[in-house]
Structures are given as structure tokens and as C-alpha cells.
Amino acid sequence: MPDQLLRWVELGSEPGVAPGPLERVRALLNTDDRFHGTDHLADGPAALVSFRDALRRYLTSGDVAGLDALAATHPLVVTFGAGAATLAPAGANDVVGGLLAEVHRAHAAGEWPRLKACANPDCQWVYYDGSRNRSGRWCSMNECGDVMKARAYRQRARQA
Ligand SMILES: [Zn+2]
């Protein structure tokens, strides 16, 4: 079966590509490209857009209300195989359910806290923080990191 998500989502856009299947979640979040002001899901399925927006709210503010309500309509089941128990969507072709299962797996694996939105308010690109101490704040040190440091410097200079 072809991967339905890939009709709408492009995997592997730098910076901050996530490892393994978590990249599917990150790539969906970045279809709302605020840096370029482009919504790549503008013509996408409403269910996928709602899920993306609820997941972004959860990622950036911890607000679970929208995501919980949505998850309740996409049941997951435990499946066994190759010595592992994993969650999978109960419904065949449930793209949102598959992504919810991946979010669950990422939480259990401790990967979820590494998924962050860039602290530059003009960017907000979602990236995977691969730094050892998880201290990254910007999608890319060369671009947003320098822009934000310069902005903070000017602000301090004005206040001094
Ligand atoms: Zn950024």
C-alpha cells in the first residue's frame, strides 16, 4: 500500500531532520511553514490539517485539549510481532492514527522532548534537537541562532 502521508508531506527537509519514523511527524508539522508563510496542506484533507494544528499546539504550549479530542476518534490497538508490542491504528488506512501511534512511541522512547519549535518567532520551524544536553533553542545556529543573538544584543544595548 502506498504511503498516503507522502502525498502531502515531504520528508527530510533540513534543518533538524528527526531519526526514523518520527520524521513523518516532524515533516507534517512543518507543512505549516511559518518561515516562508506557506501552508503546504492548504488543499490537504481537513482531518490531517486539524491533527497537524492540534499537534503543533501540544508541541509548543503543552495544550492537550484539541489533541485528546482528536485522538479519541482514532483508536489504536496493540499488535505483537518480532518480540515487540507496538501500537497501530485500528482502522486500515488511518493516517492520523498511524501518526498518533508514532507520537506515542516517541514519548515512550524519550525522543519526544527533542522535537522542538524554533524559538525565533518568525521561524517556528520544527526540528529534532540532537544535542547531547537537549539545550538547542533554534532550528539552525547559522541562521536563526545568529539572528536571535543579534536581536538580544541590540535590545540590551538599547536598555544600557
Ligand atoms: Zn529557526
Side-chain angles (χ1 to χ4, degrees):
M1 191 184 74
D3 190 334
Q4 299 289 319
L5 187 69
L6 299 185
R7 264 187 72 190
W8 307 102
V9 167
E10 190 182 331
L11 303 179
S13 294
E14 294 284 356
V17 176
L22 187 57
E23 173 59 14
R24 295 165 55 82
V25 175
R26 189 193 76 104
L28 174 72
L29 288 164
N30 281 329
T31 56
D32 179 3
D33 183 349
R34 298 179 181 190
F35 187 85
H36 297 103
T38 309
D39 185 349
H40 298 284
L41 268 188
D43 301 319
L48 205 52
V49 175
S50 312
F51 173 65
R52 178 197 66 188
D53 294 348
L55 188 61
R56 197 180 247 282
R57 274 196 303 279
Y58 172 59
L59 180 79
T60 55
S61 71
D63 176 7
V64 298
L67 195 56
D68 262 348
L70 224 145
T73 64
H74 294 273
L76 304 177
V77 294
V78 180
T79 61
F80 297 90
T86 55
L87 286 178
N93 304 326
D94 182 355
V95 174
V96 170
L99 292 163
L100 280 164
E102 175 50 26
V103 169
H104 176 270
R105 189 208 59 79
H107 268 288
E111 293 173 6
W112 183 257
R114 290 189 179 274
L115 208 59
K116 300 174 178 179
C118 180
N120 177 354
D122 298 329
C123 174
Q124 301 179 53
W125 179 260
V126 176
Y127 66 100
Y128 186 83
D129 179 6
S131 69
R132 188 179 300 217
N133 57 3
R134 304 181 184 190
S135 62
R137 293 190 57 214
W138 300 290
C139 65
S140 142
M141 224 30 216
N142 295 336
E143 293 163 35
C144 288
D146 288 348
V147 168
M148 295 309 284
K149 278 183 173 172
R151 194 179 286 180
Y153 175 82
R154 284 195 301 272
Q155 205 153 17
R156 279 196 303 273
R158 268 199 305 275
Q159 284 160 357

